[in-house]
Amino acid sequence: MASKPSRTPLIIAIVVIVAIVAAALGYYIYTSKPAATPSPSPTPTKVKIEKVVIGVVQPLTGPYAIFGREAVDAARLVVDIINNELGGVRSLGGAKLDIVVEDAGTSPESARLAAEKLISQYHVPIIYGAYISRFTMAMGTVTEQNKVILVTDALVDDLANQGWMYFFRVAPRASAHGVSAVDFVMDMAKKYNVTIRTAVIINEDSVFGTTVSNGAHLQLVKYGVEVSSHITYPYDITDMSPIIDQIKRLNPDIIIAVPYFSDGVLFAKTAKAAGLNPKFIAGAGACGFTDPDSIKAAGDAVLYYTNTYSYNPAKPTEWNSKLVSEFMRRYGKMPTEAAGEVFYSFFTIYEALEKAGQMFPDDPLNPDHLRQAFLSLDLNESNSIAAQLYPTGRIKFAPNGENLYAGTAVLQVQLINGTLTPVVVWPQPQEGVQPVFPRPGS
Amino acid sequence: MSVGGLLVAVLQQVIDGVFLGLFYAIVASGLALIFGVMDIINFAHGDLVMISAYFVWLISTYLNIDPLLSMLLVLPVLFVLGLAIQKGLINPVLGKEPLIQIAVTVGLGFVLQNIALGYFKAEPRGYPNPVFSEGLSIGPFVIYESKLLSAAVSVLVLFLLDQFLSRTRLGLAMRAVTDDRSSAMLMGINVERVYLLTFAIGMVLVGVASGLWMEMGQVWPYLGTSFSLVSWVAVALAGLGSIRGLAVSAVIIGIAESMGSLISPSVKMAVVYLIFFFILWFKPRGFFAKR
Amino acid sequence: MTRLLELRRVNAGYGEFKVLHDVSLYVDKGEIVAVVGPNGAGKTTLLRTIMGYTTLYSGSVVFKSADISGKRVHERVALGLTMVPEGRGIFPNLTVEENLLAGAYLERDKSKVRERLELVYSIFPRLKERRGQLAGSLSGGEAQMLALGRGLMTSPELLLVDEMSLGLAPKVVLALFDLVVKLNKEYGLTMLVVEQHVKNALEISSRGYVLENGRVVLEGDGRSLLSNEMLKKAYLIY
Amino acid sequence: MTRSTLLSIALFQAALLAVGFLVSGNNYYMLLLTQVALFAAFVAAWNIIGGLTGQLDLASSAYMALGGIVTSLLWMRLGLPPVVGVWVGGAVAAGLAVLIGIPTFRFGVREVWYALMTASLVVILNNLFRYFMGPWDFYLPNKWGWLYLRPRTYFELFIIVDVVLLAVILVNIYISGSKIGYYLRNIKEDELVSEAVGVDTRLYKLIALAIYSFITGAAGFLQVVIYSSFSYRLFDAGLAISIAIMGIIGGLGSISGAIAAAVVFRALGEYLRSTLGGVIPGLDLLLYGVALIVVGILKPEGLAGLFNQLRRWWRK
Amino acid sequence: MSAPDVVLRVENVTKRFGGVVALNDVTLSVGRGEIVGLIGPNGSGKTTLFNCITGVYKPDKGRVFFMGRDITGLQPHEVAKLGIARTWQKVRPFRNLTVLEAVTTGALLRTDSVEEARKTAVEVLELIGLPREEWGRLGSEITLMEHKLVDLARALATGPKLLLLDEIAAGLRPHEQERLAEVIKKVWSDRGLTIVVVEHVMRFVMSLSKRVVVLHEGRVIAEGPPEEVASNPRVIEAYLGIKPV
């Protein structure tokens, strides 16, 4: 304390710091050249591949955990089926699939860390995730840099426009949901001879909600429907009545809604209370309308609501029925689209691995080989399980990684044997079901 | 929009805002009471509402009864929970630095949120068909039963609270402690016991708020964050020591939020918080503080 | 005469800061005892120690022949001991009547509370006039009356009064002193008063203590203390 | 600056760089280390307003996001390289802080109300940005290099962050030993006494606020670099609270404590997330909450108190 | 007294708090180099007067002049900058600063260099006679007497022309009070200061000042040499009690 400090320690300290920094940089520059691309070749050539580890990054905590949890459940189921019933990847000598799950947390930062961890610790060749688009965006920069295949269940359109080489998306992109919702409504209107002149669009204001609703908006304009208002709100809204009141004053023919979850239930309940009864209310990417838990929470407020779905749980194919019943047996509930996306995405990965084993027996897990295998896939219901699970029944990738045959199904909540059940009504209604259009009593 | 149409729109928003505000009043009342008596900065208030809403939901679905009824069953549980939280967490940090109190209550909020997440999962939980779920159309206006009910119950409970605080022995003791802790001891008031009961009663108010909420909406683990800051804004606007002031302040906030919705629901909270800024700048003790 | 309160070699203070050194004093039933002394002498600390607000390092506080050193403030009040604090400590956001009712917190019998309230109102008719008013809006003299009245509502056997006349006009102070005497004579209330109006205080007291620097430097009956040179020295310059 | 402070900084740097290198082969640890260091830098900057001056500021992420977004936009829209842009970003953040600080300090908003006010500032900016810029994520251009403070490798990024952290620590130490620091610590102790010895308390609180918000705003761009995109979500009330809490848990005013808290809790959080997040959802955050409660109740003087105890014990 | 010799002049200052009139039309002057005692019973408005002079409160009426300049309504730090320093009646402890740091803060008013300020602080501390080993202690570790000395040192370090001491001797033991009085005298002669000493008890003031002003109920009731004032019946009455009317 007090008196003037001598300069010696200052000089020593600076010298030490400079020396350490210099040494660190020197060492780094010396070592980084060869290790600049720490090539993930965990499986040397011609060595029998025991198992292929697929990384799964999903939000398991925070507000987005709902679907992340289900996706992980579904992934475990699919992997078990592939390993036990299909005998693993046959072209890789029956190599088993394995998954490593990482929590994407609540921010892109943690999602990115999760991806880094999977790559650095487990040297995974493929990562599946991460449902939230901006999480996937953060992961994409990592997977690209490390040449790891990223198969995503995030739907925002932008992801496919990043010029990424190792990116694939089987699931229908966000704007396709909006388009499908409008197509469905207009299709029905034509079929049942209902005139539709005006519409109101409401959406939660995330990137996903906005992209979907913009898709719907453009499509409505294409059909010549007047959009009287396009309302956005935050997903954690606790009071819907001001919005419903506004809509009621506008009195539109139809409402296209893109809610997230609890806001969807809140919308339906408030709309019912307000006596808001347009000719039709169609959801797009709206889990809050047709998800079993939402139906449980909303009760008959969501009766006759529809929703576009990335997955068609009622698709009458052998494998689809099998997976749905397996899922129900194991987890006691219907798979929602989070699980559905995993179903077809994982079987697509499986097909790609088979293909890679056939095309590049020497080094099938090389990222560029894997990429070529993915791009060479052309799956339909007769040649693959994956396509049997997919709404449109076809999977083929464009060079930007987007599925050329992407499309959605439409579910409607109907009263079946006294229980509210989501049933598929579009493109083809499921067995014994007819779409209800327009809303009764409107 | 025509002038008449606009007028209807604005009036409808005012009606919605008043109801919302009265609901906010009941949400904030527990916080105001606890903050007034104990001077504790509770950042977990909204999360307490959230956890209590889960209790209400559990009982509602298990017994298949209306949330308002199950709320009555939840209240004693919350009372006991309040005693425990006060004894275990709040008492040790009373009179400590505000930041320490914030740290501990934020920690409590984390714990509650993640217990809810782990146990109830992230899906929204709600009672599908509450008794009061319709709307009444009066001329061009819509009155929502559930909101009307929540406003009415809120007014009733706040009235009872006001009566409790002014007429009962314990209520008087609580107000005495709010005003002057050290003098209160000279009246033979056991201040620590008053603290315990205050927190417990605060939790009962939280329970009422959560029951009313479940009549209107659903609960999910992060519901609480929506309520915490709003409650603080209401308390700031009202100042301490007046239940009526709190009700009026909360209504002002409700109307502001509802009007903000006319601009865009995405920015309505910004409107509320801007009001908060101006209150703090120009009326730092609140509009209704007696002091 | 029975001994109501006794302090035996009390050392007390706040945290690590010791204020009182070996203070011994007693109060008998029916007495008015005055404690006088310059600012910072520890008079308020003395009262706060009797009430149990401070840290007691050693010595004991005995009330009605029981050692109450370990008891908390509100427990001491329940035994019949209370204080009218310096600065009055009234509850500004409560009405006058509510303040008084708060004083009767420990009395559960409503009719007794009523009785006491009537008694206080008869002693302080002014308070009755203002019963519905917020205590924060009272004038200084009224507030002091309220503080005294509130103290009486606890039905104490010993009332400690701290700097009752602080910041009050002389007329009001005189009236208050009259009241104190009246309380003592007519209602038999025992009191320990800390006062800056030394002369008036000692005149009405049976005994007095002079405190300086946390120590009792003088004690004796009121009048003899008043004529003691040392007292004057403690206060002024003689 | 005393010998022991210098030595401890040198040791800290040596340790940090040594760890940096040890993990330089593993991108996961490298990125984690970078994030921890950046977080520590934010906490250290907060220490100026919170620890030294005693103002409960909960707007850290507001300044961080504002600075980061301004820097990014200057780069993307006007082509101003971030090496220059960060200074503007910092200045904008500081400008806003001062603009709000003037009436706030003028009208004597303090303690819990100051905390709530700053917390709501984050929400207001979040809402306004969402209103005017939409929900979109804006991606940084595909340009890399030191000019853009956006190196290709994590090690280089780590070096940049480390330099920032070192700079913030040195600023802290410099301020502590300067007139400003003396004044700020006096304001924290007692504003009235400070005024009486000639401290213009409002002015110096503003200065502290400006320095803190400038550093936070300038360093905010690095957060954007780590995300490689930005959106209104950068205005994150939870992050701001956790930065302040690290400062508290570290022991108010103790820079070593603040940094230790940031490192320990951030690393602990990541460890819990990566080990438990997938097992039971929320268990990691639950334990984090428990840790906050335990530290708050049992060790309210923070880690600095623990350090002091250790130091005393060591000397004995 | 001619104007240039008047360091402080308080003119007709009135200050109310709610309904209570704390200062009622107070007028007084302090000449250069004087030590003036300001006494009066508790609650007579002494501290309020200090607060009005130093800018903590703004008087409702009246003006305050310092060296001929109107300083009414200035901020406390502006007043300090002009050269008025004060100490505090109630100890306001600085828990996390050392003695030297606290005093150095005072000295920083006249310089931007911490080194220089520390030198000033050292000089002041030496002048006051606080032993060197106390300088590194935290405010939470020192005794009341030391606190009073540090308070004085901190005020002195700001380089004031006028020093206001608010009940600085309260709570001290007689021998400590004597020592403190010595220190104040030393400081006064060494620095050529003007000092106003607020005291409840006149004894302490006696040894210091040639002139005392007595405040009672917010008014000046007497003024003059201490002996004279002490025998003034109005003063005695104010102190010892009120005669029944």
PDB file of all heavy atoms in Angstrom, chain A residues 28 61 103 109 112 116 120-121 137 145 205 207, chain D residues 26-27 35 135 139 152-154 226 273 281-282:
ATOM      1  N   TYR A  28       0.551 -22.245 -31.791  1.00  0.00           N
ATOM      2  CA  TYR A  28      -0.707 -22.423 -32.500  1.00  0.00           C
ATOM      3  C   TYR A  28      -0.501 -22.423 -34.013  1.00  0.00           C
ATOM      4  O   TYR A  28      -0.959 -23.293 -34.736  1.00  0.00           O
ATOM      5  CB  TYR A  28      -1.670 -21.305 -32.091  1.00  0.00           C
ATOM      6  CG  TYR A  28      -2.948 -21.351 -32.873  1.00  0.00           C
ATOM      7  CD1 TYR A  28      -3.849 -22.382 -32.672  1.00  0.00           C
ATOM      8  CD2 TYR A  28      -3.206 -20.399 -33.838  1.00  0.00           C
ATOM      9  CE1 TYR A  28      -4.998 -22.465 -33.410  1.00  0.00           C
ATOM     10  CE2 TYR A  28      -4.361 -20.467 -34.572  1.00  0.00           C
ATOM     11  CZ  TYR A  28      -5.258 -21.499 -34.360  1.00  0.00           C
ATOM     12  OH  TYR A  28      -6.393 -21.575 -35.087  1.00  0.00           O
ATOM     13  N   THR A  61     -34.638 -28.144 -22.832  1.00  0.00           N
ATOM     14  CA  THR A  61     -35.000 -27.245 -21.736  1.00  0.00           C
ATOM     15  C   THR A  61     -35.524 -25.967 -22.370  1.00  0.00           C
ATOM     16  O   THR A  61     -35.320 -25.750 -23.562  1.00  0.00           O
ATOM     17  CB  THR A  61     -33.783 -26.909 -20.867  1.00  0.00           C
ATOM     18  OG1 THR A  61     -32.709 -26.557 -21.742  1.00  0.00           O
ATOM     19  CG2 THR A  61     -33.374 -28.084 -20.030  1.00  0.00           C
ATOM     20  N   ASP A 103     -28.581 -31.370 -25.498  1.00  0.00           N
ATOM     21  CA  ASP A 103     -29.596 -30.339 -25.298  1.00  0.00           C
ATOM     22  C   ASP A 103     -29.166 -29.064 -26.014  1.00  0.00           C
ATOM     23  O   ASP A 103     -28.048 -28.591 -25.832  1.00  0.00           O
ATOM     24  CB  ASP A 103     -29.739 -30.077 -23.791  1.00  0.00           C
ATOM     25  CG  ASP A 103     -30.739 -28.974 -23.501  1.00  0.00           C
ATOM     26  OD1 ASP A 103     -31.510 -28.626 -24.412  1.00  0.00           O
ATOM     27  OD2 ASP A 103     -30.747 -28.500 -22.354  1.00  0.00           O
ATOM     28  N   GLU A 109     -26.479 -19.924 -29.064  1.00  0.00           N
ATOM     29  CA  GLU A 109     -25.138 -20.123 -28.529  1.00  0.00           C
ATOM     30  C   GLU A 109     -24.996 -21.545 -27.982  1.00  0.00           C
ATOM     31  O   GLU A 109     -24.026 -22.241 -28.258  1.00  0.00           O
ATOM     32  CB  GLU A 109     -24.964 -19.117 -27.403  1.00  0.00           C
ATOM     33  CG  GLU A 109     -23.567 -18.770 -27.072  1.00  0.00           C
ATOM     34  CD  GLU A 109     -23.547 -17.745 -25.940  1.00  0.00           C
ATOM     35  OE1 GLU A 109     -24.618 -17.398 -25.406  1.00  0.00           O
ATOM     36  OE2 GLU A 109     -22.438 -17.319 -25.598  1.00  0.00           O
ATOM     37  N   ARG A 112     -25.145 -24.191 -30.681  1.00  0.00           N
ATOM     38  CA  ARG A 112     -23.886 -24.286 -31.393  1.00  0.00           C
ATOM     39  C   ARG A 112     -22.863 -25.068 -30.577  1.00  0.00           C
ATOM     40  O   ARG A 112     -22.131 -25.899 -31.104  1.00  0.00           O
ATOM     41  CB  ARG A 112     -23.385 -22.874 -31.666  1.00  0.00           C
ATOM     42  CG  ARG A 112     -22.098 -22.851 -32.402  1.00  0.00           C
ATOM     43  CD  ARG A 112     -21.833 -21.449 -32.849  1.00  0.00           C
ATOM     44  NE  ARG A 112     -20.519 -21.367 -33.447  1.00  0.00           N
ATOM     45  CZ  ARG A 112     -20.082 -20.280 -34.055  1.00  0.00           C
ATOM     46  NH1 ARG A 112     -20.857 -19.224 -34.146  1.00  0.00           N
ATOM     47  NH2 ARG A 112     -18.890 -20.255 -34.572  1.00  0.00           N
ATOM     48  N   GLU A 116     -20.862 -28.402 -31.570  1.00  0.00           N
ATOM     49  CA  GLU A 116     -19.404 -28.499 -31.449  1.00  0.00           C
ATOM     50  C   GLU A 116     -19.023 -29.698 -30.616  1.00  0.00           C
ATOM     51  O   GLU A 116     -18.062 -30.415 -30.908  1.00  0.00           O
ATOM     52  CB  GLU A 116     -18.844 -27.239 -30.776  1.00  0.00           C
ATOM     53  CG  GLU A 116     -18.858 -26.003 -31.635  1.00  0.00           C
ATOM     54  CD  GLU A 116     -17.788 -26.028 -32.726  1.00  0.00           C
ATOM     55  OE1 GLU A 116     -17.081 -27.051 -32.851  1.00  0.00           O
ATOM     56  OE2 GLU A 116     -17.686 -25.027 -33.443  1.00  0.00           O
ATOM     57  N   SER A 120     -16.658 -32.651 -31.761  1.00  0.00           N
ATOM     58  CA  SER A 120     -15.330 -32.793 -31.151  1.00  0.00           C
ATOM     59  C   SER A 120     -15.202 -34.047 -30.303  1.00  0.00           C
ATOM     60  O   SER A 120     -14.182 -34.705 -30.331  1.00  0.00           O
ATOM     61  CB  SER A 120     -15.020 -31.586 -30.272  1.00  0.00           C
ATOM     62  OG  SER A 120     -15.176 -30.412 -30.990  1.00  0.00           O
ATOM     63  N   GLN A 121     -16.253 -34.358 -29.515  1.00  0.00           N
ATOM     64  CA  GLN A 121     -16.125 -35.490 -28.607  1.00  0.00           C
ATOM     65  C   GLN A 121     -16.479 -36.806 -29.289  1.00  0.00           C
ATOM     66  O   GLN A 121     -15.887 -37.821 -29.017  1.00  0.00           O
ATOM     67  CB  GLN A 121     -17.038 -35.384 -27.379  1.00  0.00           C
ATOM     68  CG  GLN A 121     -17.197 -34.063 -26.713  1.00  0.00           C
ATOM     69  CD  GLN A 121     -16.015 -33.653 -25.872  1.00  0.00           C
ATOM     70  OE1 GLN A 121     -15.048 -33.157 -26.430  1.00  0.00           O
ATOM     71  NE2 GLN A 121     -16.096 -33.848 -24.573  1.00  0.00           N
ATOM     72  N   MET A 137     -29.523 -22.559 -37.540  1.00  0.00           N
ATOM     73  CA  MET A 137     -28.625 -21.643 -38.244  1.00  0.00           C
ATOM     74  C   MET A 137     -27.264 -21.582 -37.562  1.00  0.00           C
ATOM     75  O   MET A 137     -26.220 -21.628 -38.215  1.00  0.00           O
ATOM     76  CB  MET A 137     -29.265 -20.257 -38.282  1.00  0.00           C
ATOM     77  CG  MET A 137     -28.497 -19.232 -39.055  1.00  0.00           C
ATOM     78  SD  MET A 137     -28.288 -19.668 -40.791  1.00  0.00           S
ATOM     79  CE  MET A 137     -29.903 -19.340 -41.440  1.00  0.00           C
ATOM     80  N   GLN A 145     -18.407 -26.013 -41.516  1.00  0.00           N
ATOM     81  CA  GLN A 145     -16.971 -25.867 -41.323  1.00  0.00           C
ATOM     82  C   GLN A 145     -16.310 -27.220 -41.091  1.00  0.00           C
ATOM     83  O   GLN A 145     -15.207 -27.464 -41.543  1.00  0.00           O
ATOM     84  CB  GLN A 145     -16.720 -24.954 -40.117  1.00  0.00           C
ATOM     85  CG  GLN A 145     -15.625 -23.967 -40.349  1.00  0.00           C
ATOM     86  CD  GLN A 145     -15.595 -22.945 -39.210  1.00  0.00           C
ATOM     87  OE1 GLN A 145     -16.503 -22.854 -38.403  1.00  0.00           O
ATOM     88  NE2 GLN A 145     -14.544 -22.168 -39.169  1.00  0.00           N
ATOM     89  N   ASP A 205     -45.201 -13.942 -33.609  1.00  0.00           N
ATOM     90  CA  ASP A 205     -44.282 -13.144 -34.411  1.00  0.00           C
ATOM     91  C   ASP A 205     -42.865 -13.707 -34.497  1.00  0.00           C
ATOM     92  O   ASP A 205     -41.924 -12.964 -34.679  1.00  0.00           O
ATOM     93  CB  ASP A 205     -44.268 -11.710 -33.900  1.00  0.00           C
ATOM     94  CG  ASP A 205     -43.912 -11.643 -32.433  1.00  0.00           C
ATOM     95  OD1 ASP A 205     -43.542 -12.695 -31.870  1.00  0.00           O
ATOM     96  OD2 ASP A 205     -44.008 -10.556 -31.849  1.00  0.00           O
ATOM     97  N   VAL A 207     -39.842 -16.021 -36.323  1.00  0.00           N
ATOM     98  CA  VAL A 207     -39.453 -16.167 -37.716  1.00  0.00           C
ATOM     99  C   VAL A 207     -40.351 -17.203 -38.388  1.00  0.00           C
ATOM    100  O   VAL A 207     -40.854 -17.004 -39.493  1.00  0.00           O
ATOM    101  CB  VAL A 207     -37.981 -16.610 -37.819  1.00  0.00           C
ATOM    102  CG1 VAL A 207     -37.618 -16.862 -39.268  1.00  0.00           C
ATOM    103  CG2 VAL A 207     -37.081 -15.548 -37.228  1.00  0.00           C
TER     104      VAL A 207
ATOM    105  N   ASN D  26      -9.620 -29.027 -29.764  1.00  0.00           N
ATOM    106  CA  ASN D  26     -11.012 -29.433 -29.612  1.00  0.00           C
ATOM    107  C   ASN D  26     -11.915 -28.207 -29.728  1.00  0.00           C
ATOM    108  O   ASN D  26     -11.939 -27.347 -28.862  1.00  0.00           O
ATOM    109  CB  ASN D  26     -11.183 -30.094 -28.236  1.00  0.00           C
ATOM    110  CG  ASN D  26     -12.582 -30.611 -28.031  1.00  0.00           C
ATOM    111  OD1 ASN D  26     -13.557 -29.946 -28.360  1.00  0.00           O
ATOM    112  ND2 ASN D  26     -12.680 -31.807 -27.494  1.00  0.00           N
ATOM    113  N   ASN D  27     -12.642 -28.142 -30.831  1.00  0.00           N
ATOM    114  CA  ASN D  27     -13.431 -26.945 -31.097  1.00  0.00           C
ATOM    115  C   ASN D  27     -14.484 -26.686 -30.035  1.00  0.00           C
ATOM    116  O   ASN D  27     -14.797 -25.543 -29.729  1.00  0.00           O
ATOM    117  CB  ASN D  27     -14.122 -27.074 -32.451  1.00  0.00           C
ATOM    118  CG  ASN D  27     -13.183 -26.675 -33.559  1.00  0.00           C
ATOM    119  OD1 ASN D  27     -12.177 -26.001 -33.321  1.00  0.00           O
ATOM    120  ND2 ASN D  27     -13.486 -27.101 -34.757  1.00  0.00           N
ATOM    121  N   GLN D  35     -16.608 -18.447 -25.062  1.00  0.00           N
ATOM    122  CA  GLN D  35     -17.862 -17.908 -24.537  1.00  0.00           C
ATOM    123  C   GLN D  35     -17.731 -17.539 -23.067  1.00  0.00           C
ATOM    124  O   GLN D  35     -18.240 -16.510 -22.633  1.00  0.00           O
ATOM    125  CB  GLN D  35     -18.983 -18.925 -24.717  1.00  0.00           C
ATOM    126  CG  GLN D  35     -19.416 -19.022 -26.158  1.00  0.00           C
ATOM    127  CD  GLN D  35     -20.628 -19.896 -26.328  1.00  0.00           C
ATOM    128  OE1 GLN D  35     -21.172 -20.392 -25.358  1.00  0.00           O
ATOM    129  NE2 GLN D  35     -21.038 -20.090 -27.553  1.00  0.00           N
ATOM    130  N   PRO D 135     -39.037 -10.249 -36.913  1.00  0.00           N
ATOM    131  CA  PRO D 135     -38.493 -11.319 -36.082  1.00  0.00           C
ATOM    132  C   PRO D 135     -37.238 -11.931 -36.674  1.00  0.00           C
ATOM    133  O   PRO D 135     -36.694 -12.868 -36.115  1.00  0.00           O
ATOM    134  CB  PRO D 135     -39.633 -12.334 -36.087  1.00  0.00           C
ATOM    135  CG  PRO D 135     -40.287 -12.146 -37.412  1.00  0.00           C
ATOM    136  CD  PRO D 135     -40.181 -10.683 -37.718  1.00  0.00           C
ATOM    137  N   TYR D 139     -28.011 -12.443 -40.823  1.00  0.00           N
ATOM    138  CA  TYR D 139     -26.755 -13.188 -40.796  1.00  0.00           C
ATOM    139  C   TYR D 139     -25.610 -12.307 -41.233  1.00  0.00           C
ATOM    140  O   TYR D 139     -25.736 -11.502 -42.159  1.00  0.00           O
ATOM    141  CB  TYR D 139     -26.875 -14.417 -41.684  1.00  0.00           C
ATOM    142  CG  TYR D 139     -28.008 -15.285 -41.236  1.00  0.00           C
ATOM    143  CD1 TYR D 139     -29.231 -15.272 -41.893  1.00  0.00           C
ATOM    144  CD2 TYR D 139     -27.872 -16.052 -40.083  1.00  0.00           C
ATOM    145  CE1 TYR D 139     -30.289 -16.024 -41.430  1.00  0.00           C
ATOM    146  CE2 TYR D 139     -28.926 -16.805 -39.615  1.00  0.00           C
ATOM    147  CZ  TYR D 139     -30.140 -16.787 -40.284  1.00  0.00           C
ATOM    148  OH  TYR D 139     -31.185 -17.520 -39.820  1.00  0.00           O
ATOM    149  N   ARG D 152     -11.347 -16.990 -38.745  1.00  0.00           N
ATOM    150  CA  ARG D 152     -11.878 -18.273 -39.172  1.00  0.00           C
ATOM    151  C   ARG D 152     -11.816 -19.324 -38.071  1.00  0.00           C
ATOM    152  O   ARG D 152     -12.646 -20.217 -38.021  1.00  0.00           O
ATOM    153  CB  ARG D 152     -11.088 -18.788 -40.383  1.00  0.00           C
ATOM    154  CG  ARG D 152     -11.592 -18.188 -41.655  1.00  0.00           C
ATOM    155  CD  ARG D 152     -11.063 -18.922 -42.865  1.00  0.00           C
ATOM    156  NE  ARG D 152     -11.617 -18.295 -44.044  1.00  0.00           N
ATOM    157  CZ  ARG D 152     -12.820 -18.558 -44.513  1.00  0.00           C
ATOM    158  NH1 ARG D 152     -13.591 -19.442 -43.910  1.00  0.00           N
ATOM    159  NH2 ARG D 152     -13.280 -17.936 -45.567  1.00  0.00           N
ATOM    160  N   THR D 153     -10.808 -19.228 -37.241  1.00  0.00           N
ATOM    161  CA  THR D 153     -10.661 -20.290 -36.236  1.00  0.00           C
ATOM    162  C   THR D 153     -11.070 -19.786 -34.857  1.00  0.00           C
ATOM    163  O   THR D 153     -11.021 -18.590 -34.571  1.00  0.00           O
ATOM    164  CB  THR D 153      -9.204 -20.772 -36.148  1.00  0.00           C
ATOM    165  OG1 THR D 153      -8.429 -19.696 -35.631  1.00  0.00           O
ATOM    166  CG2 THR D 153      -8.679 -21.199 -37.485  1.00  0.00           C
ATOM    167  N   TYR D 154     -11.458 -20.740 -34.059  1.00  0.00           N
ATOM    168  CA  TYR D 154     -11.880 -20.383 -32.712  1.00  0.00           C
ATOM    169  C   TYR D 154     -10.715 -19.889 -31.879  1.00  0.00           C
ATOM    170  O   TYR D 154     -10.895 -19.087 -30.979  1.00  0.00           O
ATOM    171  CB  TYR D 154     -12.522 -21.591 -32.024  1.00  0.00           C
ATOM    172  CG  TYR D 154     -13.863 -21.914 -32.576  1.00  0.00           C
ATOM    173  CD1 TYR D 154     -14.264 -23.228 -32.764  1.00  0.00           C
ATOM    174  CD2 TYR D 154     -14.750 -20.906 -32.923  1.00  0.00           C
ATOM    175  CE1 TYR D 154     -15.506 -23.533 -33.279  1.00  0.00           C
ATOM    176  CE2 TYR D 154     -15.984 -21.199 -33.441  1.00  0.00           C
ATOM    177  CZ  TYR D 154     -16.364 -22.509 -33.614  1.00  0.00           C
ATOM    178  OH  TYR D 154     -17.590 -22.791 -34.114  1.00  0.00           O
ATOM    179  N   ILE D 226     -20.163 -14.787 -32.393  1.00  0.00           N
ATOM    180  CA  ILE D 226     -20.340 -16.165 -31.938  1.00  0.00           C
ATOM    181  C   ILE D 226     -21.654 -16.739 -32.467  1.00  0.00           C
ATOM    182  O   ILE D 226     -21.715 -17.871 -32.928  1.00  0.00           O
ATOM    183  CB  ILE D 226     -20.267 -16.237 -30.401  1.00  0.00           C
ATOM    184  CG1 ILE D 226     -18.823 -15.996 -29.952  1.00  0.00           C
ATOM    185  CG2 ILE D 226     -20.756 -17.592 -29.898  1.00  0.00           C
ATOM    186  CD1 ILE D 226     -18.629 -16.070 -28.466  1.00  0.00           C
ATOM    187  N   ARG D 273     -25.721 -28.538 -18.510  1.00  0.00           N
ATOM    188  CA  ARG D 273     -26.533 -28.661 -19.717  1.00  0.00           C
ATOM    189  C   ARG D 273     -26.123 -29.884 -20.514  1.00  0.00           C
ATOM    190  O   ARG D 273     -26.940 -30.677 -20.958  1.00  0.00           O
ATOM    191  CB  ARG D 273     -26.394 -27.422 -20.603  1.00  0.00           C
ATOM    192  CG  ARG D 273     -27.283 -27.477 -21.837  1.00  0.00           C
ATOM    193  CD  ARG D 273     -26.838 -26.519 -22.930  1.00  0.00           C
ATOM    194  NE  ARG D 273     -25.549 -26.881 -23.487  1.00  0.00           N
ATOM    195  CZ  ARG D 273     -25.339 -27.889 -24.338  1.00  0.00           C
ATOM    196  NH1 ARG D 273     -26.341 -28.622 -24.730  1.00  0.00           N
ATOM    197  NH2 ARG D 273     -24.141 -28.162 -24.777  1.00  0.00           N
ATOM    198  N   PRO D 281     -35.183 -33.050 -18.325  1.00  0.00           N
ATOM    199  CA  PRO D 281     -35.213 -31.674 -18.828  1.00  0.00           C
ATOM    200  C   PRO D 281     -35.264 -30.686 -17.675  1.00  0.00           C
ATOM    201  O   PRO D 281     -36.022 -30.857 -16.733  1.00  0.00           O
ATOM    202  CB  PRO D 281     -36.500 -31.636 -19.653  1.00  0.00           C
ATOM    203  CG  PRO D 281     -37.326 -32.766 -19.148  1.00  0.00           C
ATOM    204  CD  PRO D 281     -36.370 -33.820 -18.695  1.00  0.00           C
ATOM    205  N   GLY D 282     -34.429 -29.677 -17.783  1.00  0.00           N
ATOM    206  CA  GLY D 282     -34.486 -28.615 -16.795  1.00  0.00           C
ATOM    207  C   GLY D 282     -33.692 -28.875 -15.538  1.00  0.00           C
ATOM    208  O   GLY D 282     -33.536 -27.997 -14.708  1.00  0.00           O
TER     209      GLY D 282
END
